[in-house]
Amino acid sequence: MMQQKRIIAGALGCILVCGHPAGYVRAAEIVPKQAQSVAEIIQEDAELPQTPQELAPDYMDPDYVKRQMQQEMPQEEQASPYAFRSTQSKTTKSPFTGLTYTHAPQLSECEIVNGIDVSKWQAEINWSKVKAAGVKFVFIRCGYTALSDKFAMYEDEYFKKNIQGAYDAGIEVGIYFFSNSITTAEAKKEAQKTLELIKDYKHMITLPIVYDFEAFSNAYRAYGLSKSQVTKNTIAYAQIIEDAGFQPMYYGSPNFLDSSFDVAKLSDYSCWLANYTTKTAYTGEYTYWQYSSTGKVNGITGNVDCNFFYSGGEGEIEDPDIGPDDIDESFGSVSGLRMSDNATDEITIRWNQMENADGYKVYRSKSYGGTYKQLTTINWSEVTEYTDETVIASEGRQYFYKVVPFLLDENGNMKFGMESDVLIANTERLHSFRLKTTANMHLREQAGTEYPSLTVIPSGTGLPFYKFTLSTLDEKWYKVTYSKNGKSYTGYLSGNYVTIYTYGNTTKNVNVRSGAGLSCKIQRTIPKGTKVTIVGSSRNVSGTKWSNVKYALKGKNYSGYIPTKYIKQI
């Protein structure tokens, strides 16, 4: 379902890596208890210039040099020099340039979201006005490597003010670092610098973290770097960002992607296309399109870079056997799709028979908005049941199913009906589970930060959870019901900021103590095989991990601490 940056058509290159976005999502669900206000930051940085015209030239800043070059180059009034190969495309009008843009045919089914990217060279920004102007997301420069012979990195002076202002205004935030790395060692240092700069703002970042590599003139220290080395640097930066919990992504213009990146080796990462035109013919894959550097947005003085984000299809079926010409809408869809049985390691689904069908295809997605992949083909219309034995053994995990009927012609070719409604099914639950929030968190309609927030649940709230599922980024989300001011809300909480009460059995006779340590009082000894509920964990001064557990003996409930190594989770 549903994630970035900047260049000049045919010349610029930028590598972008996604945070994440939760990545993209990972820290997105925290709602700070006492976030620093924009007013406080403005007071701290009151000496900063208010308009771009007041900023002093800086020929060591790669963004400044880039902006000077952009003023000498043509913009999007003319179409791409590439021939556009298809008329099956969607068009939209940008509110920031007033021009109409033609989107690539392969992205015609995507939701198209408007955003921008900024650095110190936009100077003071009124983020409330930017939000009201229709900006949904922004990439903010956190720092850069100077255009000097000596490797030197700096923080963008407006970074803290920009990220707090955008976040407070309710705009989705991503980050970019303007690179000029020559070696993989330098690229790794840039990644570490990026993480250092954003460490206090992780909860505000829901979009990619951008490694913006650009070297399109001899003013840049990395100018002339080989395609092989640029690719190695990209991967070196991306791996560190990814290991920190963010999703990598790279950036470039069509020409730059061809000349400076080995795109085949970057297939694990998404691409942000920079092409200043109203109609790009780039046929490679990309998630964002930076289409202009001369946008006008209320709340920003002067020009600003503009971007489209393509959110992707909502739970589409991935099946090479089914194309647009293979579907007969008059054939209809199956009805009555339901879960008829389940266990902790299998789910059985059932639907009503379609007498005019020759069979059915069954599909499953592991997340609400994810891709549906085929599980089986059933060649008899009378068979209206399927048991999925490929689920992961767990309690209460949700899966998502669709069924598509088909007809066979005299040559054995299939014609397909319409896909069924989505069935949300789950493995069997044998135990009761609880969680506790470790931060103020958004309760989402579905599993993912792209879904609307129903309410905010305070840090430290304990709740039973019914089921869990995965987001499209493979992160766990928990389904809960929360009551507030007499109203109940049922939705999903990110697993990144909750503590789960899990269960286990003791692996030996073990002493239960009053605290986490051998010096604490022994309360009693419980036998091997005792079932315990793990409600928390801690380490003592020697580094040994202890679990805070609840358990029952002879009909009475107790709690205490035992070494974690003596518990086998179930």
Side-chain angles (χ1 to χ4, degrees), residues 316-320 363 371-374:
E316 297 174 348
I317 288 177
E318 183 180 275
D319 189 340
Y363 301 86
T371 300
Y372 284 79
K373 296 186 177 180
Q374 181 177 325

Side-chain angles (χ1 to χ4, degrees), residues 3 18-29 205-206 242-247 366-368 397-398 400 441 446-451 467-479 492-498:
Q3 300 162 2
C18 189
H20 153 155
Y24 184 13
V25 190
R26 188 169 306 277
E29 293 310 279
I205 301 169
T206 59
E242 189 171 37
D243 289 345
F246 300 97
Q247 177 189 348
K366 61 184 179 180
S367 60
Y368 176 76
R397 175 167 171 174
Q398 291 183 329
F400 306 84
M441 296 178 64
Q446 289 292 340
T449 55
E450 65 268 35
Y451 297 104
K467 305 175 183 73
F468 74 89
T469 188
L470 299 182
S471 69
T472 54
L473 298 179
D474 287 345
E475 294 185 330
K476 272 192 176 182
W477 288 69
Y478 296 92
K479 188 175 183 180
Y492 293 80
L493 289 174
S494 169
N496 292 315
Y497 301 101
V498 300

Side-chain angles (χ1 to χ4, degrees), residues 17 33 38 103 105 143 145 174 205 241 243 259 318 376 406 463 475 486 527-528 532 558:
V17 180
K33 294 178 182 177
V38 177
H103 303 277
T145 295
I205 301 169
I241 296 299
D243 289 345
S259 64
E318 183 180 275
T376 189
F406 64 82
L463 295 167
E475 294 185 330
K528 177 181 178 180
V532 296
Y558 300 95

Side-chain angles (χ1 to χ4, degrees), residues 136-338:
K136 302 297 185 182
F137 68 88
V138 60
F139 285 93
I140 299 170
R141 188 177 75 162
C142 66
Y144 62 94
T145 295
L147 303 185
S148 56
D149 292 337
K150 183 178 180 181
F151 181 73
M153 298 177 292
Y154 298 93
E155 177 180 345
D156 186 303
E157 301 102 299
Y158 285 75
F159 166 59
K160 294 175 182 177
K161 182 183 292 188
N162 279 336
I163 190 169
Q164 188 71 57
Y167 179 81
D168 286 349
I171 299 172
E172 298 289 321
V173 173
I175 300 297
Y176 76 93
F177 186 96
F178 206 127
S179 164
N180 259 278
S181 59
I182 295 175
T183 65
T184 54
E186 289 181 350
K188 291 177 180 179
K189 290 179 181 179
E190 290 175 328
Q192 291 158 354
K193 181 67 171 180
T194 301
L195 296 176
E196 173 191 328
L197 291 172
I198 68 171
K199 67 180 186 297
D200 294 330
Y201 303 95
K202 289 181 179 179
H203 62 280
M204 299 183 183
I205 301 169
T206 59
L207 299 180
I209 296 177
V210 179
Y211 183 54
D212 178 4
F213 176 83
E214 304 183 39
F216 46 87
S217 81
N218 58 12
Y220 289 74
R221 67 188 298 270
Y223 179 67
L225 205 62
S226 70
K227 175 185 286 193
S228 173
Q229 190 61 51
V230 171
T231 304
K232 290 177 182 177
N233 291 357
T234 304
I235 295 172
Y237 182 95
Q239 288 178 339
I240 290 176
I241 296 299
E242 189 171 37
D243 289 345
F246 300 97
Q247 177 189 348
M249 188 152 64
Y250 66 99
Y251 161 100
S253 70
N255 283 352
F256 203 83
L257 290 171
D258 180 60
S259 64
S260 296
F261 294 94
D262 189 340
V263 173
K265 292 183 178 179
L266 299 175
S267 59
D268 288 342
Y269 314 126
S270 298
C271 175
W272 182 1
L273 177 69
N275 198 186
Y276 295 170
T277 175
T278 57
K279 184 190 292 185
T280 180
Y282 181 68
T283 57
E285 295 185 357
Y286 54 95
T287 309
Y288 293 80
W289 173 20
Q290 186 187 63
Y291 60 87
S292 176
S293 66
T294 57
K296 303 294 184 183
V297 177
N298 191 26
I300 298 178
T301 302
N303 294 337
V304 66
D305 293 346
C306 300
N307 301 274
F308 294 123
F309 165 57
Y310 300 95
S311 69
E314 287 285 324
E316 297 174 348
I317 288 177
E318 183 180 275
D319 189 340
D321 293 337
I322 304 180
D325 296 335
D326 301 316
I327 298 173
D328 182 354
E329 295 186 10
S330 65
F331 185 21
S333 61
V334 301
S335 61
L337 185 60
R338 58 201 181 275

Side-chain angles (χ1 to χ4, degrees), residues 39-101:
E40 290 172 324
I41 294 176
I42 291 174
Q43 183 63 37
E44 285 182 2
D45 298 330
E47 73 279 3
L48 292 177
Q50 301 295 296
T51 67
Q53 291 75 19
E54 298 176 71
L55 293 166
D58 184 354
Y59 289 95
M60 290 295 99
D61 186 324
D63 251 325
Y64 176 79
V65 173
K66 174 180 173 179
R67 289 170 64 85
Q68 299 308 302
M69 296 181 68
Q70 285 173 338
Q71 294 176 14
E72 305 296 325
M73 301 182 71
Q75 286 297 309
E76 57 282 305
E77 284 77 9
Q78 52 190 347
S80 168
Y82 293 81
F84 201 71
R85 298 185 174 89
S86 174
T87 58
Q88 297 178 356
S89 55
K90 179 189 292 185
T91 61
T92 61
K93 186 175 182 179
S94 168
F96 311 133
T97 66
L99 300 175
T100 297
Y101 294 83

